Amino acid sequence: MIDNSFIELSSNQNQNIKRVRKLKRKKYRDEFQEFILEGIQIIEAAINMSGNIKEVYISEEVHKQENIERIIDLFDERADKYLLEAELFAEISETVNSQGILAVAEMKTCSLDNLIDLEGPILLLAGLQDPGNAGTLIRSASAAGFAGIIALKGTVDIYNPKVIRASMGGIFDLELIKNVDIKDLNKKFINSKRRMIFAEPGAAKPYYDFVFKENDILTIGNEARGLSNEIYELEHESISIPIKGNIESLNAAMAGTILIFEMVRSF
Amino acid sequence: MIDNSFIELSSNQNQNIKRVRKLKRKKYRDEFQEFILEGIQIIEAAINMSGNIKEVYISEEVHKQENIERIIDLFDERADKYLLEAELFAEISETVNSQGILAVAEMKTCSLDNLIDLEGPILLLAGLQDPGNAGTLIRSASAAGFAGIIALKGTVDIYNPKVIRASMGGIFDLELIKNVDIKDLNKKFINSKRRMIFAEPGAAKPYYDFVFKENDILTIGNEARGLSNEIYELEHESISIPIKGNIESLNAAMAGTILIFEMVRSF
C-alpha cells in the first residue's frame, strides 16, 4: 500500500533520479555496485531470493494496480520507497511498456577464491555478447543448481537490465563474479579441484559420451567467434553437441543449457 | 552483382511494394502463402537449404557492399530482383538496423497426413506465444534432425519475421504445418505410430528416466499457461525437467531444447 513511507519526487534534478539514470550505464553500475530491476516479475523474484533491494520507484500512474500493491507489501522496511509522476518515471524507465515499478539493488560480491572453493559446477561466460543469451544461461544454471557464474572481461555486463530480466531471478540465486581477467582465473584454477570443459562445435567427443564431474567449469564462448586463443591455452577438455540437421549450429544459450542439464543429471 | 536483371523501383504505390508491406501481417501471409526474409544470414540460410525465394529487394544505399554482392550472386534466375531507393526500402523493412536486403519466399506446404507418416520425431508447438522461443525451438529441432513441426491454432505464426530470424534457417530444413486444429490432430494421431509426450513442470517422471521412441511427438505449451485442457485430453505421457535451484522454471525454449536433444541422443 502506498502510505506515508513513500517519498514523492517530482524533479528530474533530484539526486536519486540522477543516480538511477546513471545506473543505465555499466561504468556507473560498477562504480556504485548497484543495478536496476524493472518490472513486477523480476522484482518479485529478487525479493523471494533475498536480493538486496535498496530503493523502489513507483509511477503515480500505476500505483493503485492490485499487483503493484501486492509487491509493495513485500518490501522490507530498509528499502526506501519513492512515488514519481508518470513523466518522471518515464525518464528512469528502460522498457517501452513499463509496468511502472523499478528497483535499485546492490550487487553481491564474491571473490574468485571463494567461488572456486564452493562445491558444485560453475558456468564460465567467456566473451558472450548477447544479453538475452547471458541471462538465459544464468537462468538455466540456477535451475540446474549450479554453484556460481564467472564472467570474463569482454563478456556482456551481467548486471545489464536485459541480462537481469532474462535471468528471471537466477542472478540472485547464484554466486557471481564479473570482469574476471583470464590470467587471474588461470592462477586460481591451477591446483584447484576444478576441470575446464569447453563447448566447441568441432570437438570430437560428443557430450553424451563425456563423464562430467561435480566441480567442472562449463565454458561458453562468444556467439560468433567462440573461444579466444588465450582461453584456449588453459588446460581443458573439449566436447561437442552433434548436429544432425542441415543447420549450422545451435544458439549459444541452447547449447549451454543442454550441457548445463547434462552435467547435473548424474549428480 | 547489380546488373540489368535488376528492376529499379521508386514509388511506394508499386504493386510489389504494396504486397511486401502486406506480408508484415499474418492475414496476408496466409492469403498469399508467402513470407518475408530480412537480413544476409537468414537469406543465405534459405538459399543453402533450397528455400523457394521468389523476389529479392536491395536498398540502393548498400548494394555495393561486398557481402550483399556475394549473396546476390547466389540467387537463381527465377528470383525477381529489385533495386530500391533507401527511403522506399525503409518502408518495407522491419528491422531497425537493416542490412538493406529483404526477400519474399513461398511457404512450403505439407499435409498433416504426410507429416504424421514421416519417420523421425516431431515437435508440436501448442500455444507458444513468443516468436523468439518458437524460432529457437525450430532451430533446435532442425539441429537435432527432427522430421517436422506442427503448430496448433493459437500458436505464434511460424512465418512471423522474428520466428524466421530466430530459426536461423531451420524453417527451411523441416516439414512444417501451421494453424492445425486440435481435433484434426486427434483424428490423425489415433492409429498412428506416434506417441504424444508432454513437457510439464509438475510431472512425476524426470526426462532422463523416460525411454523415448523415434516417432514421438514432443509437445511444448504456452509460456505462462502451459497446455490447454483440450490438448490434455489426448492420450499422452508426461515428463518433467527437475529444477534444483530456487528459480521457478526454465524458459520454454530451453526446456524444449533439452528434451529435443534428449530424444535424439539414443537414435
Side-chain angles (χ1 to χ4, degrees), chain B residues 81-253:
Chain B
K81 304 179 192 77
Y82 299 96
L83 191 61
L84 277 62
E85 289 170 7
E87 300 79 42
L88 188 58
F89 188 88
E91 287 192 36
I92 60 169
S93 169
E94 283 217 311
T95 55
V96 181
N97 296 308
S98 174
Q99 294 173 312
I101 182 165
L102 183 152
V104 171
E106 286 176 12
M107 292 182 187
K108 274 196 303 193
T109 45
C110 174
S111 73
L112 195 51
D113 279 323
N114 287 346
L115 204 144
I116 293 279
D117 282 347
L118 292 174
E119 291 299 323
I122 286 175
L123 177 66
L124 175 65
L125 303 177
L128 213 72
Q129 280 306 307
D130 181 83
N133 283 344
T136 305
L137 283 169
I138 294 171
R139 179 177 180 181
S140 294
S142 161
F146 268 45
I149 309 269
I150 300 171
L152 290 186
K153 275 182 188 161
T155 301
V156 61
D157 184 23
I158 53 176
Y159 291 101
N160 171 314
K162 286 180 187 160
V163 176
I164 303 289
R165 210 154 37 230
S167 88
M168 291 290 281
I171 201 103
F172 301 103
D173 189 37
L174 294 160
E175 295 297 334
L176 304 163
I177 177 165
K178 63 172 210 162
N179 282 340
V180 172
D181 195 299
I182 184 85
K183 291 182 190 71
D184 294 329
L185 185 66
N186 200 6
K187 275 181 226 150
K188 302 291 177 194
F189 171 69
I190 293 166
N191 304 322
S192 90
K193 62 198 169 192
R194 297 192 178 272
R195 281 191 308 181
M196 202 75 93
I197 313 295
F198 290 0
E200 290 184 86
K205 196 166 202 93
Y207 71 101
Y208 42 70
D209 289 340
F210 186 78
V211 182
F212 290 96
K213 294 183 192 164
E214 201 175 340
N215 292 315
D216 284 345
I217 301 178
L218 177 65
T219 308
I220 307 288
N222 178 273
E223 287 88 347
R225 294 183 305 276
L227 294 163
S228 73
N229 291 336
E230 216 179 349
I231 296 175
Y232 230 81
E233 283 167 15
L234 299 177
E235 200 182 316
H236 66 273
E237 305 267 355
S238 289
I239 55 170
S240 71
I241 301 174
I243 302 292
K244 302 186 183 188
N246 293 314
I247 206 158
E248 266 179 38
S249 66
L250 280 168
N251 164 292

Side-chain angles (χ1 to χ4, degrees), chain A residues 48-49 136-140 142-145 167-171 173 207-209 241-255 257-258 261-262 264-267, chain B residues 48-49 136-140 142-145 167-171 173 207-209 241-255 257-258 261-262 264-267:
Chain A
N48 290 338
M49 295 189 199
T136 304
L137 283 169
I138 293 171
R139 179 176 180 182
S140 294
S142 162
S167 89
M168 290 291 282
I171 200 102
D173 189 38
Y207 71 102
Y208 42 71
D209 288 340
I241 301 174
I243 302 292
K244 302 187 183 186
N246 292 315
I247 206 158
E248 266 179 40
S249 67
L250 280 168
N251 165 292
M254 299 297 134
T257 297
I258 291 170
F261 275 81
E262 183 68 17
V264 300
R265 71 192 281 160
S266 52
F267 306 150
Chain B
N48 289 339
M49 294 188 200
T136 305
L137 283 169
I138 294 171
R139 179 177 180 181
S140 294
S142 161
S167 88
M168 291 290 281
I171 201 103
D173 189 37
Y207 71 101
Y208 42 70
D209 289 340
I241 301 174
I243 302 292
K244 302 186 183 188
N246 293 314
I247 206 158
E248 266 179 38
S249 66
L250 280 168
N251 164 292
M254 298 298 134
T257 297
I258 291 170
F261 275 82
E262 183 67 19
V264 299
R265 73 192 280 160
S266 51
F267 307 150

Side-chain angles (χ1 to χ4, degrees), chain A residues 7-220:
Chain A
I7 299 163
E8 287 187 38
L9 297 182
S10 57
S11 163
N12 65 8
Q13 294 306 304
N14 175 281
Q15 290 306 313
N16 280 65
I17 298 294
K18 283 183 174 176
R19 199 169 46 79
V20 174
R21 269 204 305 257
K22 282 184 174 173
L23 290 176
K24 293 181 182 182
R25 293 171 58 188
K26 177 178 186 298
K27 176 187 164 187
Y28 292 109
R29 289 194 293 267
D30 287 348
E31 185 181 326
F32 302 149
Q33 291 288 299
E34 292 172 356
F35 60 104
I36 293 173
L37 304 172
E38 185 163 4
I40 292 172
Q41 206 168 19
I42 187 66
I43 292 176
E44 195 164 13
I47 296 169
N48 290 338
M49 295 189 199
S50 312
N52 201 350
I53 294 182
K54 255 184 82 179
E55 295 156 13
V56 55
Y57 296 84
I58 312 275
S59 167
E60 227 171 43
E61 209 174 40
V62 300
H63 77 272
K64 282 182 181 155
Q65 280 178 19
E66 204 175 302
N67 45 10
I68 295 279
E69 294 213 342
R70 180 176 54 78
I71 289 219
I72 291 170
D73 287 339
L74 300 174
F75 287 108
D76 69 26
E77 288 174 8
R78 284 166 301 173
D80 293 326
K81 304 179 191 76
Y82 299 95
L83 190 62
L84 276 61
E85 288 170 8
E87 299 79 43
L88 188 57
F89 188 87
E91 286 192 36
I92 60 169
S93 169
E94 283 216 312
T95 54
V96 181
N97 296 308
S98 174
Q99 294 173 312
I101 182 166
L102 183 152
V104 172
E106 286 176 11
M107 291 181 187
K108 274 194 305 191
T109 46
C110 174
S111 73
L112 195 51
D113 279 322
N114 288 345
L115 204 144
I116 294 278
D117 282 348
L118 292 173
E119 291 298 324
I122 287 175
L123 177 67
L124 176 63
L125 304 177
L128 213 73
Q129 281 306 308
D130 181 83
N133 283 345
T136 304
L137 283 169
I138 293 171
R139 179 176 180 182
S140 294
S142 162
F146 267 46
I149 309 270
I150 300 172
L152 290 187
K153 276 180 188 162
T155 301
V156 59
D157 182 24
I158 53 176
Y159 292 101
N160 170 313
K162 286 181 189 160
V163 176
I164 302 289
R165 213 159 27 234
S167 89
M168 290 291 282
I171 200 102
F172 300 103
D173 189 38
L174 294 161
E175 295 297 332
L176 304 164
I177 176 164
K178 63 171 208 161
N179 282 340
V180 172
D181 195 298
I182 184 85
K183 291 183 191 70
D184 293 330
L185 185 66
N186 200 5
K187 276 182 226 149
K188 303 290 177 194
F189 170 69
I190 293 166
N191 303 322
S192 90
K193 63 196 171 194
R194 297 192 177 274
R195 280 191 310 181
M196 204 75 94
I197 314 295
F198 290 179
E200 291 183 85
K205 197 167 199 93
Y207 71 102
Y208 42 71
D209 288 340
F210 186 78
V211 181
F212 290 96
K213 294 181 191 166
E214 201 174 342
N215 292 314
D216 283 345
I217 301 178
L218 177 66
T219 307
I220 307 289

Side-chain angles (χ1 to χ4, degrees), chain B residues 3-93:
Chain B
D3 54 27
N4 57 15
S5 69
F6 274 77
I7 299 163
E8 288 188 37
L9 297 182
S10 57
S11 163
N12 64 9
Q13 295 305 306
N14 175 282
Q15 290 306 314
N16 280 65
I17 299 294
K18 284 184 174 174
R19 199 170 45 80
V20 175
R21 270 204 305 258
K22 282 185 175 172
L23 290 177
K24 294 182 182 183
R25 293 170 58 188
K26 177 178 185 298
K27 176 187 165 188
Y28 292 109
R29 289 195 292 268
D30 287 348
E31 186 180 326
F32 302 149
Q33 292 288 299
E34 290 172 357
F35 60 104
I36 294 173
L37 304 173
E38 185 163 5
I40 292 172
Q41 205 168 20
I42 187 67
I43 292 177
E44 196 164 11
I47 296 168
N48 289 339
M49 294 188 200
S50 312
N52 201 351
I53 293 181
K54 255 186 81 177
E55 295 155 14
V56 55
Y57 296 85
I58 312 274
S59 167
E60 226 171 42
E61 208 173 41
V62 299
H63 78 271
K64 282 183 182 155
Q65 281 178 18
E66 205 176 300
N67 46 10
I68 295 279
E69 294 212 344
R70 181 175 54 79
I71 288 219
I72 291 171
D73 287 340
L74 300 174
F75 287 107
D76 69 26
E77 288 174 8
R78 284 166 301 173
D80 293 325
K81 304 179 192 77
Y82 299 96
L83 191 61
L84 277 62
E85 289 170 7
E87 300 79 42
L88 188 58
F89 188 88
E91 287 192 36
I92 60 169
S93 169

